[in-house]
Amino acid sequence: MGKRSLARVLVVDVEATCWDGAPPRGQVSEIIEIGVCVLDTATLERGERRAVLVRPERSEVSPFCTELTTLTAADVASGLSFVDACASLREDFGARDLVWASYGDYDRKQFQRQCDATGTPYPFGPRHINVKTLFALAHNLTAEVGMDRAVELAGLSLEGTHHRGVDDAWNIAALLAGLLRAARTR
């Protein structure tokens, strides 16, 4: 294992197969896109951003899923296997040695479920930031809000397409940078 670093935060947002209602018999929700944005904690600048498309193995992309994410079955058919996508997070980004962040707990739980179900090594280390909860606490909200509402409350503009992992990771990184900036000026 490498040295654990606080110099960068790996901001992650996943999109997964979904349906308007219960999954069809024999199908389960699986990750089809891993959006990644690297946040430099010294400068609070967003750096590399990447969309890692993942080929589903136990489900199909529904019309509802395409409507929500813009991803089609053809888009993800040439994606990496889930095992290779997790290996890419570890090898290309050093995910095991960085703090990682997501908006809410869904992404962390989806990775855990899918890793457990497929026997894939979990790609991240133990340090996770739930930006959704942190944002609500920092803004003294009475409840957590969706990412698009948080962007609005922070006075930012939503960049890209909401529910595309790569764009959502970029926007979440902006929210986290704002929270860190505010904490440093107090």
Side-chain angles (χ1 to χ4, degrees):
M1 179 186 342
K3 183 177 180 185
R4 292 193 172 147
S5 173
L6 294 176
R8 297 176 296 144
V9 175
L10 189 63
V11 180
V12 174
D13 184 79
V14 301
E15 302 304 327
T17 52
C18 54
W19 303 268
D20 188 13
R25 186 180 185 135
Q27 294 192 42
V28 297
S29 183
E30 325 177 70
I31 294 170
I32 55 173
E33 181 189 16
I34 304 167
V36 178
C37 179
V38 178
L39 178 66
D40 182 300
T41 59
T43 65
L44 300 179
E45 294 293 322
R46 295 174 289 178
E48 182 179 358
R49 68 193 281 192
R50 187 184 305 174
V52 179
L53 295 182
V54 183
R55 184 177 59 255
E57 298 170 3
R58 301 172 296 141
S59 63
E60 296 177 3
V61 177
S62 70
F64 174 81
C65 187
T66 296
E67 185 178 325
L68 183 66
T69 67
T70 73
L71 293 168
T72 65
D75 293 333
V76 299
S78 60
L80 299 175
S81 68
F82 180 67
V83 170
D84 289 343
C86 287
S88 174
L89 290 172
R90 288 189 303 274
E91 294 162 15
D92 297 346
F93 294 97
R96 296 211 39 86
D97 299 321
L98 298 179
V99 175
W100 74 287
S102 63
Y103 198 82
D105 223 17
Y106 170 81
D107 305 81
R108 184 183 62 78
K109 289 180 177 178
Q110 180 63 34
F111 266 105
Q112 287 177 328
R113 276 191 300 268
Q114 198 161 338
C115 285
D116 290 347
T118 61
T120 302
Y122 190 67
F124 304 105
R127 301 171 305 158
H128 175 258
I129 299 170
N130 181 332
V131 178
K132 186 177 191 176
T133 300
L134 185 61
F135 185 89
L137 292 169
H139 287 269
N140 199 29
L141 302 177
T142 57
E144 295 173 338
V145 296
M147 190 270 295
D148 53 341
R149 177 72 176 130
V151 166
E152 181 183 317
L153 289 172
L156 302 171
S157 296
L158 193 65
E159 296 181 55
T161 301
H162 189 31
H163 296 300
R164 272 304 305 266
V166 66
D167 294 333
D168 286 353
W170 182 255
N171 287 300
I172 296 162
L175 289 170
L176 182 56
L179 292 170
L180 294 173
R181 189 174 292 110
R184 292 175 185 177
T185 59
R186 291 184 183 172

